[in-house]
Amino acid sequence: MAVVVTLEGTAPSVTQTANQTLIQITDVDSNGNTGTSSYSQTALVVNTNDVSTAISNANTQLSQFRTHIDEKAAMDIDTSAAEAKYNDAQSKISTAQALPSTSYTDALNNINTAISTISDGETLLDKAWAEKEISDAQGPVNNVDALIAYFQGNSSTASDARLSEVITKREVAVSYISAANDALTNGNFAQARSKAEDAYTKGNESYNDALTFKAAVEATWNPFAGLGSIGSGIGSSVILIVVGIIIVVLVVVGIIIYRKRSRWDELG
């Protein structure tokens, strides 16, 4: 025997969108005992106000994301990946806004996708920031490497204790960069930036020490080097004057020798 039942009703009102049990059927015998057979039907009951609220919240998050992108772009950070996520999220929100009120489920799905995309974009922006800090920290290390090579190629400075101090600080900076890269790989972008800042500071210390060392070495070659740019100019001028005097002397000696030989030829 089969029983066909048609039910009609009004979906219950809800304060927020949620799954609701619309019908539940349980087998009960004549004695009121519940059987093992049962059937229930649930459905998502939507509060249409949730859609407009969700769209408003998504637009707020999108606006904040736009501000973060612009801030990082001003810091010369690569925001291309974040920009792509921004455009995707903006498209999803626009689609949700354009849907009719009866398509609230599709609208909410688009909004949820947009919010997830914004979150992914913020993560990519944070990563790009950390990568920029690490790249900046490498600059002073590269600068000091050039000076270290200069010192090591000079026999008078290759074993100098001051060079050892420069190299020690340089190695500390490199270790910080390595730690920053490890943190970046592990997704700990805040720590990556912190280590990169430490590397930048220590790298600059090493570079400044190297410049001081170089100035001291050059002072032994040019007694006027301690006067800075003026001293360098004086030193260069002195060298030019000395070279000029030598050239004049050679010319005079040459003329004298030439004249003597000419007289010998005449007396010949």
Side-chain angles (χ1 to χ4, degrees), residues 18-237:
N19 284 313
Q20 298 289 325
T21 300
L22 301 182
I23 183 173
Q24 183 168 343
I25 301 173
T26 303
D27 179 18
V28 181
D29 63 19
S30 57
N31 296 320
N33 297 318
T34 302
T36 57
S37 299
S38 64
Y39 170 81
S40 63
Q41 178 67 48
T42 61
L44 182 68
V45 180
V46 177
N47 180 346
T48 54
N49 290 331
D50 284 353
V51 175
S52 58
T53 300
I55 290 174
S56 176
N57 290 338
N59 275 320
T60 298
Q61 293 185 45
L62 187 68
S63 178
Q64 292 173 342
F65 186 30
R66 177 74 266 165
T67 299
H68 296 161
I69 291 174
D70 292 342
E71 288 174 348
K72 299 306 180 294
M75 296 166 63
D76 199 26
I77 294 170
D78 181 7
T79 61
S80 57
E83 285 282 2
K85 291 294 183 180
Y86 175 88
N87 292 333
D88 288 345
Q90 187 179 50
S91 176
K92 290 296 183 182
I93 295 173
S94 296
T95 298
Q97 290 174 320
L99 288 171
S101 59
T102 54
S103 299
Y104 33 74
T105 301
D106 290 340
L108 288 174
N109 287 338
N110 276 285
I111 291 301
N112 289 334
T113 300
I115 291 174
S116 177
T117 301
I118 291 172
S119 178
D120 292 343
E122 291 282 12
T123 299
L124 290 173
L125 197 59
D126 203 19
K127 179 183 179 183
W129 184 9
E131 290 172 339
K132 175 64 164 52
E133 293 291 318
I134 293 173
S135 177
D136 288 347
Q138 188 65 46
V141 173
N142 292 342
N143 291 336
V144 78
D145 281 348
L147 287 175
I148 289 173
Y150 165 76
F151 294 134
Q152 290 178 333
N154 190 322
S155 59
S156 64
T157 56
S159 58
D160 195 296
R162 290 169 293 183
L163 177 58
S164 297
E165 293 177 4
V166 169
I167 293 175
T168 297
K169 289 185 178 180
R170 182 263 183 198
E171 293 303 318
V172 173
V174 170
S175 70
Y176 282 139
I177 292 176
S178 178
N181 280 315
D182 289 342
L184 180 69
T185 300
N186 294 328
N188 193 338
F189 305 130
Q191 183 178 4
R193 289 195 300 272
S194 176
K195 290 299 181 181
E197 290 172 3
D198 291 339
Y200 186 83
T201 299
K202 188 58 66 174
N204 266 332
E205 288 181 14
S206 177
Y207 181 52
N208 289 332
D209 286 353
L211 290 176
T212 300
F213 179 28
K214 184 173 183 289
V217 170
E218 291 179 345
T220 62
W221 302 338
N222 176 13
F224 303 103
L227 299 177
S229 59
I230 296 176
S232 298
I234 293 175
S236 299
S237 300

